[in-house]
Amino acid sequence: MIRMILWLVVQEMIEKKIVLNNQFKKLNEANIKIKNLEVVEKENISLKETLRKKQDLAKSQLETSERNYDTVNMLVSDLNTNVKHLRKLTTEATIAMVNARLPTKRKRDKDIPMFVEVDPYSKQHVVPWNENLKCVFNPAE
């Protein structure tokens, strides 16, 4: 009987040992998973910081680009105004030279300087012609 009780106690202890071993294995596996998760978390934090730095750099570049765009836009606007004014003056000077009965010649669009074009949609233009130099009078002459 004592042997039987001892045998039952030993069996119960063996079963508890097996259960404890299984729980210990699960605990070790859980600790390994926790360590792996901690490594992944550190990598994610590092990646997040890198992405935040890239985002800050992109925002800074965007703000700089917007400021530069505004500056260029203002300068181009002024330049376009000046070009329109200059074109108006050169067109008026060319018309005045033709009206003053300077020698004229009919020339194709591609053969005359851009500042002489009175009618930009025409393929040929009547332009004031300098016979001595064999070229178009320019407004400075």
Side-chain angles (χ1 to χ4, degrees):
M1 179 83 157
I2 292 185
R3 275 185 147 173
M4 186 76 138
I5 293 176
L6 278 176
W7 186 80
L8 288 173
V9 168
V10 168
Q11 284 297 96
E12 189 177 321
M13 289 178 76
I14 290 173
E15 288 176 8
K16 285 184 179 182
K17 184 180 177 187
I18 292 172
V19 169
L20 283 174
N21 281 341
N22 287 339
Q23 288 177 344
F24 185 71
K25 284 180 186 178
K26 288 180 182 179
L27 178 64
N28 284 338
E29 290 172 1
N31 283 336
I32 291 171
K33 287 181 181 179
I34 288 171
K35 287 179 183 176
N36 289 340
L37 287 173
E38 288 172 350
V39 169
V40 169
E41 182 181 23
K42 286 180 183 177
E43 291 172 356
N44 285 342
I45 289 171
S46 175
L47 180 61
K48 184 178 179 181
E49 288 173 3
T50 302
L51 290 174
R52 181 172 286 130
K53 287 178 183 176
K54 286 183 179 182
Q55 182 184 22
D56 291 344
L57 177 64
K59 282 182 181 178
S60 171
Q61 289 173 341
L62 178 63
E63 289 169 359
T64 301
S65 294
E66 287 174 346
R67 283 193 303 273
N68 290 346
Y69 175 80
D70 291 341
T71 302
V72 167
N73 214 12
M74 182 182 67
L75 293 174
V76 167
S77 175
D78 292 345
L79 180 62
N80 285 338
T81 302
N82 290 341
V83 166
K84 287 177 184 176
H85 181 68
L86 183 59
R87 178 165 305 275
K88 181 181 175 190
L89 290 175
T90 55
T91 300
E92 289 172 355
T94 301
I95 291 171
M97 286 188 266
V98 170
N99 289 342
R101 301 198 190 266
L102 287 175
T104 59
K105 206 166 201 178
R106 185 170 289 278
K107 287 296 208 173
R108 289 182 301 191
D109 198 30
K110 67 178 187 173
D111 296 331
I112 61 172
M114 161 180 106
F115 65 84
V116 179
E117 292 181 20
V118 176
D119 183 11
Y121 299 105
S122 176
K123 291 186 179 180
Q124 288 194 345
H125 303 276
V126 175
V127 294
W129 190 255
N130 187 336
E131 288 291 335
N132 296 335
L133 298 176
K134 303 287 185 209
C135 65
V136 176
F137 273 110
N138 66 44
E141 296 173 325

